[in-house]
C-alpha cells in the first residue's frame, strides 16, 4: 500500500533534494547531471500519475506539513484541478529535460552543466510547488523560487538574453510584490493564509474595501506573471533569447503554472459570488483577451524571427485561455474551454518551440526567410512543426480545433457573437503566419538549387520529444472529442460553483 | 475634522510612510533609465511592503502610551491587560526578506554581466549598442 497522501510533499521535496545532489555530483562527473535530473523528473511524473488516480478514486489529498493543523500550518491540497495541471507541467518538464541534453552543451557549454541542471531542477521545484500548495504565502514563495531560477536560466544564453532577463526580473518582481501586498490585505482582515480557510472567512467581508483592493492587486500581480495582454511586455524578449530548453519549459510549464495560480486565486479564494457582486471583471477580461488574440496574431505576422513569432503567438493563446475564463460564468461549460486550452496550448507550443530551437541548433536558422527547402533537409523536425502548426490553426481533430470549438460554443451560449467573430478572425491570422512558414519549408524551391541550405536532421533526443508532442496534439484532440475527460472538467467546475447559469 | 486627521493620519503614520515609500520605489522602477537605480527602486518597494506587514501586527495606540510587547506565555498564563504583537507577519517577512535578497542578488549579477557585455548600465545606451551589433552582423 503506497502512502499516496504523502506524495504531494514528496513531489516537491525530491525535486529540491535532487537540485542539491546535481550540484555535488556535477563536481565529480559533469555528464551525470543530466541523468539525475531526468530520473528525478520521471519519478515526479510517475508520482503525479498516482496522485491523479488517487484524487479521482478517493478524493482530494490534504497534507499538513509538520503535522500542524491547517489554519496555522502550511497545507498542501491536491484536488482534481491541481492533479490535472501537475501532470501537464511535469510531462512538459520531462520532455524539456530530454530535449535539453544536446542543446545545452551546444549553447551554454559543458563547463556550466552542473549549474544549469541545478537551476533547471529548482525551476521544476518552483513550478510543482505552485501547483500543489494550498497556502497563499507558500504560493508566493514557490512562485519566486521558480521565477528566480527562470531569470538566471534565461540569462544563461548571454548576449541579448541578458537585457531580456533583466526586464523580466523587474516586471516579475513587481508582479510578485503586488501579489504579496494582496496577501497583506487579506491577512489584515481575516488573519489567515490558508486558501480553504480564506474561502470560508471571506464571504462576510466581501463588501470590505481591503478585500476588493486585495483582489485587484492579486489579479494584476499574477496577470504579469502569466503575460496577460497589457502586461505582456517582458514576454517576447524572454522567450526569444532564452536557451532552447528554457524557451520550451518557460513557455509551457511555467506559463501554465502561473495561469493555474491566477485561476486558483480568482475562483478558489475569491469565488464567483464575489466577482459577480463586487468586481464585475469578467467582461473586461473577455475584452482584453479578445484584444490579445488579435494583437498577438497581427504582431506575429510581422516577425521574421521564428521564436519571436511563437512568443507573440503565445500572447494570443493566453488570450484564448483568458477568454475561456471570462466567459466561464455565463455558460454551462464553465471553465472547461480554458482548462482544455491549458493542456492544448502546452502541447502545441512545446512542439513548435522544440522545432524552432532545433533549426537554430542545426543550422543557426532563426530567420524564417532562410527556411527554403528545409522540409526536405530535416524531415522529422519539420513534420512535427507542420503537425503542431496545423493543430494551432485548428484542423480537426487536433487540440487547436477542440479549443476553438468549445470556445465558440461557450461564446454562442453566452450570446457574445462578437467573440465568435474574433475567434474566427484570429484563426485567419494564424493561417497567414503559419502557412507562410509551411510554404517556405515544403513548397518553395530556390532558383538554381545551390542556395538551399544544407543541414542534416537534428539529433534523436531533440526531434523525438517534438514528434511525441505533435502526435499527442491529435491523439489528445480525439480524446477530448470522445469526451472521456469531460467528467473531470465538470468536477472542477462544480467545485468552483460554475457550470450552472443563474 | 481634527479628530479625523489625528485618527487617520497621525495615528496610522506607519501606513502612510509605507505607502509613500512604495510609490517612490515604484516611480524609480518605472522612470529611471539607469539599471542600478531601477534595482534601488525595487528594493525600496519591497522594503515598503515589509514595513506594511510589520505595521499590521502592531497593537496599541501608537502614541507611546500603550505598546504591545513580545508574545511570551508565562508559567502562570497570560496576565490581564497583557498586549502582545502578532508574531506571524514578522515571520512571513523574514521569508520575504530572504526572497528579496535573493532577487536582488540575481539582479545585481545580471547588471554585472550586462556591464561586461556593453560597458554601460544606462538602458538607452545598451539598446543603442544592441542595435549596432544587429546591424553589424
Amino acid at each position: 500500500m503506497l502512502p499516496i497522501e504523502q506524495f504531494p510533499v514528496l513531489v516537491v521535496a525530491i525535486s529540491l533534494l535532487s537540485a542539491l545532489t546535481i550540484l555535488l555530483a556535477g563536481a565529480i562527473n559533469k555528464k551525470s547531471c543530466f541523468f539525475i535530473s531526468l530520473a528525478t523528473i520521471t519519478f515526479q511524473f510517475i508520482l503525479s500519475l498516482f496522485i491523479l488516480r488517487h484524487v479521482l478514486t478517493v478524493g482530494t489529498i490534504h497534507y499538513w506539513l509538520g503535522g500542524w493543523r491547517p489554519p496555522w500550518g502550511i497545507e498542501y491540497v491536491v484536488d482534481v484541478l491541481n492533479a490535472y495541471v501537475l501532470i501537464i507541467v511535469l510531462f512538459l518538464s520531462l520532455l524539456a529535460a530530454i530535449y535539453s541534453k544536446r542543446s545545452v552543451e551546444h549553447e551554454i557549454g559543458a563547463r556550466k552543466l552542473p549549474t544549469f541542471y541545478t537551476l533547471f531542477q529548482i525551476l521544476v521545484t518552483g513550478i510543482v510547488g505552485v501547483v500543489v500548495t494550498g497556502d497563499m504565502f507558500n504560493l508566493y514563495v514557490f512562485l519566486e523560487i521558480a521565477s528566480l531560477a527562470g531569470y538566471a536560466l534565461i540569462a544563461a544564453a548571454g548576449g541579448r538574453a541578458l537585457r531580456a532577463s533583466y526586464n523580466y526580473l523587474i516586471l516579475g518582481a513587481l508582479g510578485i510584490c503586488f501579489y504579496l501586498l494582496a496577501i497583506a490585505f487579506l491577512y489584515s482582515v481575516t488573519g489567515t493564509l490558508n486558501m480553504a480557510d480564506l474561502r470560508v472567512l471571506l464571504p462576510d467581508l466581501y463588501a470590505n474595501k481591503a478585500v476588493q483592493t486585495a483582489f485587484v492587486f492579486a489579479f494584476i500581480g499574477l496577470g504579469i506573471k502569466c503575460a496577460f495582454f497589457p502586461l505582456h511586455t517582458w514576454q517576447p524578449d524572454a522567450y526569444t533569447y532564452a536557451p532552447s530548453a528554457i524557451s520550451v519549459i518557460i513557455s509551457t510549464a511555467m506559463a501554465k503554472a502561473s495561469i493555474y495560480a491566477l485561476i486558483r486565486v480568482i475562483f478558489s479564494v475569491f469565488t464567483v459570488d464575489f466577482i459577480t457582486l463586487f468586481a464585475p471583471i469578467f467582461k473586461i477580461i473577455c475584452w482584453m483577451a479578445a484584444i490579445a488574440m488579435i494583437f498577438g496574431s497581427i504582431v506575429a505576422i510581422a516577425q521574421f524571427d521564428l521564436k519571436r513569432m511563437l512568443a507573440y503567438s503565445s500572447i494570443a493563446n493566453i488570450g484564448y485561455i483568458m477568454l475561456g475564463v471570462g466567459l466561464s460564468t455565463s455558460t454551462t461549460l464553465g471553465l472547461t474551454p480554458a482548462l482544455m486550452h491549458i493542456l492544448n496550448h502546452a502541447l502545441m507550443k512545446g512542439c513548435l518551440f522544440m522545432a524552432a530551437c532545433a533549426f537554430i541548433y542545426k543550422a543557426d536558422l532563426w530567420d524564417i526567410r532562410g527556411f527554403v527547402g528545409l522540409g526536405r533537409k530535416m524531415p522529422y523536425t519539420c513534420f512535427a512543426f507542420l503537425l503542431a502548426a496545423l493543430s494551432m490553426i485548428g484542423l480537426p481533430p487536433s487540440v487547436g480545433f477542440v479549443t476553438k470549438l468549445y470556445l465558440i460554443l461557450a461564446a454562442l451560449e453566452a450570446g457574445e457573437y462578437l467573440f465568435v467573430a474574433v475567434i474566427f478572425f484570429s484563426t485567419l491570422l494564424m493561417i497567414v503566419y503559419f502557412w507562410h512558414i509551411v510554404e517556405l519549408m515544403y513548397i518553395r524551391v530556390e532558383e538554381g538549387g545551390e542556395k538551399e541550405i544544407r543541414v542534416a536532421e537534428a539529433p534523436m533526443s531533440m526531434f523525438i520529444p517534438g514528434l511525441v508532442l505533435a502526435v499527442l496534439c491529435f491523439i489528445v484532440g480525439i480524446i477530448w472529442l470522445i469526451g472521456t475527460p469531460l467528467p473531470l472538467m465538470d468536477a472542477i467546475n462544480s467545485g468552483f460553483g460554475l457550470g450552472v447559469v443563474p | 475634522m481634527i479628530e479625523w486627521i489625528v485618527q487617520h493620519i497621525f495615528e496610522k503614520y506607519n501606513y502612510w510612510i509605507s505607502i509613500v515609500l512604495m510609490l517612490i520605489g515604484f516611480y524609480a522602477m518605472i522612470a529611471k533609465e539607469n539599471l542600478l537605480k531601477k534595482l534601488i527602486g525595487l528594493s525600496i518597494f519591497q522594503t515598503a511592503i515589509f514595513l506594511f506587514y510589520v505595521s499590521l501586527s502592531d497593537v496599541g495606540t501608537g502614541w507611546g502610551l500603550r505598546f504591545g510587547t513580545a508574545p511570551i506565555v508565562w508559567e502562570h498564563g497570560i496576565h490581564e491587560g497583557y498586549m502582545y504583537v502578532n508574531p506571524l507577519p514578522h515571520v512571513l517577512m523574514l521569508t520575504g526578506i530572504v526572497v528579496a535578497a535573493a532577487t536582488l542578488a540575481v539582479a545585481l549579477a545580471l547588471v554585472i554581466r550586462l556591464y561586461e557585455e556593453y560597458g554601460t548600465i544606462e538602458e538607452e545606451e545598451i539598446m543603442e549598442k544592441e542595435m549596432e551589433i544587429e546591424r553589424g552582423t
Side-chain angles (χ1 to χ4, degrees):
Chain A
M1 184 59 209
L2 293 162
I4 297 183
E5 289 78 15
Q6 320 247 347
F7 280 8
V9 74
L10 200 60
V11 112
V12 177
I14 289 264
S15 185
L16 198 58
L17 199 66
S18 155
L20 298 172
T21 317
I22 290 169
L23 199 60
L24 291 176
I28 302 159
N29 182 359
K30 289 197 170 39
K31 292 275 178 212
S32 64
C33 302
F34 164 73
F35 294 102
I36 297 174
S37 183
L38 185 68
T40 314
I41 298 174
T42 314
F43 185 58
Q44 284 177 287
F45 181 60
I46 293 167
L47 288 184
S48 77
L49 290 176
F50 276 112
I51 290 173
L52 180 69
R53 205 191 64 181
H54 186 87
V55 167
L56 289 179
T57 52
V58 182
T60 309
I61 302 173
H62 294 270
Y63 182 86
W64 302 342
L65 263 93
W68 291 89
R69 293 178 64 79
W72 297 284
I74 295 170
E75 183 189 23
Y76 282 0
V77 186
V78 181
D79 62 10
V80 185
L81 176 59
N82 298 45
Y84 171 73
V85 179
L86 188 63
I87 287 196
I88 296 173
V89 297
L90 280 171
F91 182 62
L92 280 145
S93 308
L94 179 62
L95 289 184
I98 297 171
Y99 186 82
S100 70
K101 176 152 188 342
R102 294 293 289 270
S103 65
V104 170
E105 286 175 25
H106 177 71
E107 284 164 20
I108 296 169
R111 197 174 56 84
K112 290 185 189 159
L113 274 182
T115 337
F116 179 87
Y117 280 108
T118 306
L119 285 171
F120 188 83
Q121 202 58 49
I122 291 175
L123 176 66
V124 174
T125 311
I127 293 170
V128 170
V130 167
V131 178
V132 295
T133 188
D135 185 278
M136 291 289 271
F137 195 79
N138 207 233
L139 180 74
Y140 156 79
V141 173
F142 278 121
L143 208 54
E144 193 67 290
I145 289 174
S147 307
L148 283 175
Y151 306 143
L153 285 169
I154 291 172
R160 293 285 298 262
L162 293 171
R163 205 169 63 81
S165 171
Y166 182 87
N167 284 343
Y168 181 19
L169 190 147
I170 290 287
L171 278 172
L174 193 62
I176 290 184
C177 283
F178 280 167
Y179 178 69
L180 189 57
L181 210 50
I183 301 174
F185 281 117
L186 287 180
Y187 183 77
S188 70
V189 288
T190 61
T192 179
L193 296 165
N194 185 285
M195 287 183 187
D197 206 26
L198 276 170
R199 187 177 187 161
V200 175
L201 289 172
L202 276 179
D204 298 335
L205 301 160
Y206 279 164
N208 192 321
K209 286 280 186 291
V211 175
Q212 293 165 10
T213 318
F215 177 75
V216 174
F217 273 122
F219 183 77
I220 293 178
L222 293 171
I224 293 176
K225 289 307 296 178
C226 63
F228 184 39
F229 167 61
L231 311 166
H232 67 274
T233 45
W234 58 268
Q235 189 249 39
D237 276 345
Y239 285 13
T240 310
Y241 301 117
S244 309
I246 303 309
S247 289
V248 174
I249 195 169
I250 286 196
S251 65
T252 55
M254 175 95 185
K256 299 306 167 265
S258 314
I259 290 180
Y260 157 78
L262 185 61
I263 289 178
R264 180 59 85 188
V265 168
I266 293 181
F267 291 102
S268 212
V269 176
F270 284 98
T271 72
V272 178
D273 295 339
F274 168 75
I275 293 160
T276 42
L277 286 174
F278 293 102
I281 199 171
F282 281 139
K283 201 87 188 165
I284 304 166
I285 293 180
C286 280
W287 278 105
M288 280 304 162
I291 298 170
M293 283 153 68
I294 293 175
F295 166 85
S297 304
I298 288 179
V299 181
I301 290 175
Q303 303 302 323
F304 290 117
D305 185 337
L306 182 56
K307 274 174 97 178
R308 181 170 281 267
M309 193 183 96
L310 294 176
Y312 277 109
S313 161
S314 274
I315 292 171
N317 277 286
I318 301 288
Y320 275 86
I321 297 173
M322 293 310 281
L323 183 63
V325 172
L327 290 170
S328 61
T329 45
S330 37
T331 77
T332 47
L333 290 171
L335 269 176
T336 310
L339 297 174
M340 272 180 168
H341 203 54
I342 288 183
L343 170 61
N344 298 353
H345 180 237
L347 293 175
M348 295 187 286
K349 200 41 65 72
C351 178
L352 290 170
F353 264 112
M354 281 179 184
C357 297
F359 299 149
I360 296 174
Y361 172 81
K362 273 319 271 191
D364 204 16
L365 264 183
W366 48 267
D367 191 326
I368 56 173
R369 285 166 297 188
F371 279 13
V372 180
L374 201 62
R376 289 181 286 280
K377 298 287 164 26
M378 299 173 73
Y380 298 117
T381 312
C382 287
F383 184 63
F385 186 91
L386 177 70
L387 284 184
L390 286 177
S391 173
M392 205 70 156
I393 291 166
L395 182 82
S398 64
V399 284
F401 168 74
V402 180
T403 307
K404 281 173 193 177
L405 179 71
Y406 270 83
L407 268 179
I408 289 170
L409 286 178
L412 285 178
E413 202 186 323
E416 305 277 5
Y417 301 108
L418 193 80
F419 295 127
V420 180
V422 169
I423 293 168
F424 276 116
F425 184 57
S426 86
T427 307
L428 215 62
L429 296 171
M430 279 187 187
I431 293 175
V432 172
Y433 60 81
F434 279 121
W435 177 250
H436 183 52
I437 300 172
V438 171
E439 192 219 343
L440 283 169
M441 284 198 305
Y442 282 103
I443 296 169
R444 196 178 297 177
V445 181
E446 197 80 49
E447 294 92 45
E450 306 93 58
K451 279 180 89 181
E452 281 194 3
I453 38 114
R454 296 176 194 286
V455 285
E457 182 54 71
M460 191 93 94
S461 69
M462 291 182 84
F463 74 75
I464 295 279
L467 271 180
V468 168
L469 283 178
V471 172
L472 273 181
C473 283
F474 283 82
I475 293 175
V476 171
I478 292 167
I479 293 173
W480 281 123
L481 286 174
I482 295 169
T484 324
L486 289 180
L488 204 138
M489 300 287 123
D490 290 339
I492 297 172
N493 281 328
S494 62
F496 288 155
L498 289 165
V500 256
V501 177
Chain B
M1 182 64 202
I2 291 169
E3 212 167 81
W4 188 91
I5 292 172
V6 168
Q7 211 182 356
H8 286 87
I9 295 176
F10 290 111
E11 286 194 2
K12 295 189 168 64
Y13 66 98
N14 39 3
Y15 291 95
W16 287 102
I17 291 172
S18 88
I19 288 169
V20 168
L21 281 175
M22 235 179 258
L23 290 176
I24 292 171
F26 193 50
Y27 171 79
M29 283 167 80
I30 301 296
K32 292 292 174 192
E33 291 288 322
N34 187 306
L35 298 184
L36 267 184
K37 285 183 184 166
K38 272 179 192 267
L39 290 188
I40 292 169
L42 175 63
S43 225
I44 295 173
F45 193 91
Q46 285 171 330
T47 313
I49 292 177
F50 303 155
L51 184 59
F52 186 78
Y53 265 87
V54 172
S55 299
L56 287 180
S57 64
D58 184 34
V59 287
T61 60
W63 284 95
L65 300 172
R66 291 169 76 211
F67 275 123
T69 56
I72 298 164
V73 180
W74 303 102
E75 284 163 16
H76 46 273
I78 295 167
H79 53 79
E80 215 159 294
Y82 176 64
M83 286 174 69
Y84 62 90
V85 170
N86 181 359
L88 193 85
H90 294 77
V91 178
L92 294 180
M93 280 314 102
L94 278 179
T95 316
I97 288 166
V98 172
V99 169
T103 314
L104 205 61
V106 173
L108 287 172
L110 276 176
V111 173
I112 291 171
R113 286 284 288 116
L114 275 164
Y115 183 74
E116 283 172 0
E117 194 94 6
Y118 299 103
T120 172
I121 50 169
E122 294 291 327
E123 203 171 18
E124 291 277 307
E125 291 173 26
I126 289 176
M127 279 160 87
E128 273 171 29
K129 291 203 171 165
E130 277 180 353
M131 290 290 207
E132 274 171 33
I133 291 166
E134 204 149 273
R135 258 185 252 116
T137 46

